[in-house]
């Protein structure tokens, strides 16, 4: 295998994309992860790929992630991407802004990393196409949502007693004289600093090393859509239903409106995460949140689990995991046997 471990530049990655899109291929092999799927569906949309496989090693194109970073293998030759998301090699087009910015963001969430310098350059390049890039609190869609709802949907960072809890979120804001209908941009600097202090104080309960820098991040908005909220929605519905929503989103990005509407509707009443029990094969988590991967994201931050074991949800209907957590031929939630 030829590993070109020198950090690639923009021109090299664009040439790699051109190489993929200009030739006909039998299939592309990808992992069942949001970023890999977005890349594969964009390749299907603009290139000549006849099939997408999650298992065949005979595909001419393969997406590879290992301890060294990411590679795209083309007919056995490996091209190094560093830590950059697979979707970052696509040419910037107004028709694909939402898949690209959400693909980059979901990559950072799943991999627990910051945006790379190359990805930040892409976000900045997209400004001329109407994208807004700014640095602010890392909570979903603070431009459109009431602040209490943005805090409720904060999976990363997870805010103890606030994430998923409507009543506690509203109560915390009222303690610093922020009203239930206020958005982040409605509050003054004094209230913002008080809010940040409360969030950090809450975070320190589960992570003594937590700092202000971990809740302030660069952010990409396009039209009324926030890349962070879209990334969470894509993870949620990939767990819950399978890859159909991601395919429709990539092929017709205006499907984002439906995705976000359904995501907010399902999570608006809040959710709980209770007991965590470790078995030989799973972390069994009592919760009414339907996404094992979002639960995993929360519990990794609180230090209650390790990444090397999948998460399964226990609710009144049984115990379920997903194809994002374990290899499976079935998409959506997968029921497993558990006698605990």
């Amino acid at each position: 295998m030829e590993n070109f471990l020198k950090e690639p530049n923009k021109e090299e990655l664009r040439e790699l994309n051109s190489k993929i899109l200009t030739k006909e291929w039998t299939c592309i092999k990808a992992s069942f992860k949001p970023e890999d799927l977005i890349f594969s569906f964009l390749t299907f949309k603009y290139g000549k790929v006849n099939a997408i496989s999650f298992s065949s090693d005979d595909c001419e194109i393969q997406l590879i992630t290992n301890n060294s970073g990411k590679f795209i293998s083309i007919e056995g030759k490996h091209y190094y991407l560093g830590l950059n998301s697979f979707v970052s090699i696509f040419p910037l087009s107004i028709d694909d802004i939402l898949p690209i910015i959400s693909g980059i963001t979901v990559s950072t969430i799943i991999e627990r990393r910051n945006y790379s310098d190359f990805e930040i350059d892409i976000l900045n390049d997209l400004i001329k196409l109407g994208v807004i890039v700014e640095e602010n609190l890392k909570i979903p869609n603070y431009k459109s949502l009431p602040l209490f709802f943005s805090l409720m949907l904060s999976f990363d960072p997870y805010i103890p007693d606030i994430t998923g809890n409507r009543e506690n979120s509203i109560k915390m804001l009222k303690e610093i004289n922020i009203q239930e209908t206020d958005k982040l941009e409605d509050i003054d600097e004094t209230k913002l600093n008080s809010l940040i202090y409360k969030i950090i104080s809450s975070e320190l309960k589960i992570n003594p090393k937590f700092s202000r820098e971990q809740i302030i991040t660069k952010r990409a908005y396009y039209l009324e859509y926030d890349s962070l909220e879209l990334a969470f929605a894509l993870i949620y519905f990939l767990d819950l239903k399978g890859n159909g929503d991601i395919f429709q989103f990539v092929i017709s990005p205006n499907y984002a409106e439906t995705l976000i509407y359904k995501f907010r509707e399902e999570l608006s009443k809040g959710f709980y995460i209770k007991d965590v029990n470790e078995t030989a094969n799973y972390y069994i988590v009592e919760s009414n949140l339907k996404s094992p991967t979002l639960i995993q994201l929360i519990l990794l931050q609180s230090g209650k689990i390790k990444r090397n074991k999948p998460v399964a949800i226990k609710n009144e209907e049984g115990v379920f995991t997903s194809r994002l957590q374990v290899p499976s031929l079935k998409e959506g939630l997968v029921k497993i046997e558990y006698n605990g």
Side-chain angles (χ1 to χ4, degrees):
M1 180 175 80
E2 299 179 47
N3 289 355
F4 299 96
L5 298 182
K6 176 178 69 69
E7 192 70 20
N9 60 45
K10 188 180 297 186
E11 289 70 29
E12 290 171 333
L13 295 182
R14 294 288 182 261
E15 288 176 9
L16 176 58
N17 181 257
S18 177
K19 186 182 184 74
I20 292 171
L21 296 183
T22 54
K23 185 177 176 181
E24 185 169 350
W25 309 98
T26 302
C27 66
I28 179 171
K29 181 184 178 183
S31 298
F32 194 81
K33 294 188 291 189
E35 178 203 356
D36 295 50
L37 291 168
I38 293 172
F39 176 91
S40 300
F41 294 147
L42 281 170
T43 304
F44 180 82
K45 183 177 179 180
Y46 292 110
K48 301 173 183 177
V49 176
N50 294 321
I52 298 169
S53 172
F54 303 115
S55 59
S56 175
D57 289 327
D58 295 328
C59 293
E60 302 100 324
I61 301 174
Q62 299 188 27
L63 307 184
I64 300 169
T65 302
N66 59 31
N67 292 335
S68 299
K70 295 181 182 177
F71 301 82
I72 296 180
S73 174
I74 303 178
E75 297 180 317
K77 185 174 182 179
H78 288 62
Y79 297 86
Y80 182 56
L81 273 66
L83 294 177
N84 300 308
S85 53
F86 291 119
V87 297
S88 64
I89 76 170
F90 272 87
L92 305 182
S93 159
I94 197 165
D95 294 327
D96 301 309
I97 288 175
L98 289 178
I100 288 173
I101 64 174
S102 58
I104 291 172
T105 302
V106 79
S107 172
T108 66
I109 292 170
I110 294 291
E111 294 159 22
R112 312 292 302 127
R113 65 175 178 86
N114 295 322
Y115 290 115
S116 68
D117 291 341
F118 178 65
E119 290 167 336
I120 290 173
D121 284 345
I122 290 173
L123 297 182
N124 289 332
D125 287 343
L126 285 168
I127 291 174
K128 60 180 176 289
L129 296 180
V131 170
I132 297 171
V133 178
E134 56 188 35
E135 198 163 294
N136 212 320
L137 279 183
K138 192 181 180 184
I139 56 176
N141 213 334
Y142 53 74
K143 288 184 178 291
S144 299
L145 294 174
L147 184 51
F148 84 87
F149 199 12
S150 289
L151 293 168
M152 273 182 63
L153 297 182
S154 182
F155 295 98
D156 182 16
Y158 163 66
I159 309 174
D161 303 320
I162 302 299
T163 299
N165 193 312
R166 181 187 183 97
E167 291 75 19
N168 284 356
S169 181
I170 293 172
K171 179 182 176 182
M172 181 185 73
L173 294 178
K174 286 185 175 179
E175 289 173 356
I176 49 180
N177 201 27
I178 297 174
Q179 302 306 307
E180 187 172 336
T181 56
D182 286 346
K183 297 176 184 176
L184 183 66
E185 295 176 335
D186 295 331
I187 68 175
D188 60 28
E189 187 174 356
T190 300
K191 291 179 182 177
L192 176 60
N193 287 334
S194 296
L195 174 62
I196 291 173
Y197 174 79
K198 280 190 169 289
I199 293 173
I200 292 175
S201 298
S202 183
E203 295 287 358
L204 289 173
K205 297 176 184 177
I206 61 171
N207 180 5
K209 297 181 179 179
F210 192 87
S211 67
R212 181 187 179 101
E213 288 69 32
Q214 290 173 262
I215 58 171
I216 306 295
T217 186
K218 284 191 179 293
R219 197 59 154 283
Y221 280 89
Y222 182 61
L223 304 175
E224 72 271 30
Y225 300 109
D226 164 34
S227 60
L228 183 62
E229 186 181 24
L230 271 170
F232 288 149
L234 293 173
I235 293 170
Y236 181 83
F237 288 114
L238 185 57
D239 261 342
L240 188 63
K241 297 168 57 181
N243 69 59
D245 282 311
I246 293 184
F247 178 78
Q248 193 163 347
F249 169 63
V250 171
I251 300 302
S252 303
N254 58 3
Y255 186 64
E257 181 176 358
T258 300
L259 268 179
I260 292 301
Y261 175 81
K262 291 193 296 183
F263 179 66
R264 293 177 184 174
E265 183 180 43
E266 295 214 8
L267 298 181
S268 61
K269 295 180 181 178
F271 56 87
Y272 64 81
I273 296 175
K274 293 184 178 178
D275 296 335
V276 179
N277 294 306
E278 185 176 2
T279 69
N281 298 316
Y282 297 96
Y283 291 107
I284 307 294
V285 183
E286 186 178 346
S287 178
N288 63 344
L289 177 60
K290 298 176 183 177
S291 169
T293 305
L294 289 179
I295 291 176
Q296 181 184 54
L297 178 64
I298 288 172
L299 295 178
L300 283 171
Q301 294 173 72
S302 64
K304 293 183 178 180
I305 65 171
K306 296 181 180 179
R307 188 183 284 275
N308 61 354
K309 187 175 289 186
V311 165
I313 301 168
K314 181 181 179 182
N315 58 34
E316 63 277 4
E317 297 177 359
V319 180
F320 301 86
T321 190
S322 74
R323 193 172 181 177
L324 259 173
Q325 294 291 311
V326 296
S328 171
L329 295 178
K330 180 183 176 183
E331 296 196 14
L333 294 178
V334 180
K335 193 167 187 177
I336 63 172
E337 294 298 324
Y338 175 65
N339 298 318

